[in-house]
Amino acid sequence: MKNIVCFDLETRRSAAQVGGWGPEACARMGVSVAVTYSSKDDAYRIYTEDQVGDLIAELQAADLVVGYNHLGFDYAVLQPFAFWSIAGSTRNLDLCTYLSERTGHRLKLDSVAKVTLGGCTKTADGTDALKWWAEYEQSGDPELMMQIARYCCFDVKVTMEVFKFGAREGYVLFDDKEGKRVRVEVDWNLL
């Protein structure tokens, strides 16, 4: 059985705190929590920054890494933890990049999931995760780390479900700015 690993992470610092969204800035954001889902093991794994080496090893061992803007963002955050190109040492399907190339604009995961998966939406957003991290640093309350982990796990689940739907059906959906339903043909049977 092929191992498709879906991946997402949350950071310790915001773009405003590190000077923007460029690769050098993202490299200063740090990792609060990262989550993977392995199709082979049918299991989620949660990593903290001190476990990033194990995370990168899991991504490299995967037959395919699926994420949403992971090539443009998540890998830039992880890159300071590796001596080689993470993107160059993994096989990837970035759903955000794939859909942007076909639609001509960047779609949010929530926009695609809400329509494609029949109302499924994210449980929070990245600013909430940043707030929880800041509160965790102040208090040390492990429940705050669990909130970040739950949020990140759900993002991974939503990303994987969008991927599975597209691989099975050959399309995904979103509503454009005028509220018109748009169907995007996809070819995600990559293995």
Side-chain angles (χ1 to χ4, degrees), residues 7 9-13 21-23 25-32 49 52 70-82 86:
F7 158 67
L9 63 75
E10 301 305 321
T11 65
R12 294 178 173 202
R13 289 172 286 284
W21 292 102
C26 289
R28 294 188 294 272
M29 289 183 176
V31 176
S32 62
E49 189 170 271
V52 164
H70 74 288
L71 291 176
F73 176 71
D74 302 71
Y75 280 179
V77 173
L78 288 179
Q79 195 54 58
F81 299 94
I86 298 169

Side-chain angles (χ1 to χ4, degrees), residues 10-11 32 123-141 143-152:
E10 301 305 321
T11 65
S32 62
T123 58
D125 79 26
T127 58
D128 293 319
L130 288 166
K131 180 182 74 121
W132 296 328
W133 173 257
E135 291 172 9
Y136 170 75
E137 281 192 307
Q138 292 288 317
S139 70
D141 181 356
E143 180 53 34
L144 293 162
M145 285 295 281
M146 287 305 300
Q147 282 183 274
I148 300 169
R150 281 191 292 269
Y151 163 64
C152 196

Side-chain angles (χ1 to χ4, degrees), residues 69-145:
N69 195 32
H70 74 288
L71 291 176
F73 176 71
D74 302 71
Y75 280 179
V77 173
L78 288 179
Q79 195 54 58
F81 299 94
F83 295 111
W84 57 90
S85 167
I86 298 169
S89 63
T90 52
R91 183 168 182 216
N92 298 281
L93 173 60
D94 188 319
L95 302 185
C96 181
T97 301
Y98 187 100
L99 294 172
S100 294
E101 289 171 354
R102 278 142 188 83
T103 64
H105 58 278
R106 186 165 183 240
L107 300 171
K108 292 183 176 186
L109 173 60
D110 213 32
S111 301
V112 177
K114 183 176 181 181
V115 182
T116 301
L117 303 177
C120 180
T121 59
K122 294 173 55 150
T123 58
D125 79 26
T127 58
D128 293 319
L130 288 166
K131 180 182 74 121
W132 296 328
W133 173 257
E135 291 172 9
Y136 170 75
E137 281 192 307
Q138 292 288 317
S139 70
D141 181 356
E143 180 53 34
L144 293 162
M145 285 295 281

Side-chain angles (χ1 to χ4, degrees), residues 1-5 38-41 58 61-64 191:
M1 174 184 202
K2 299 291 185 180
N3 188 25
I4 299 171
V5 173
S38 163
S39 65
K40 183 178 178 184
D41 301 333
E58 181 183 1
D63 294 301
L64 179 68
L191 296 176

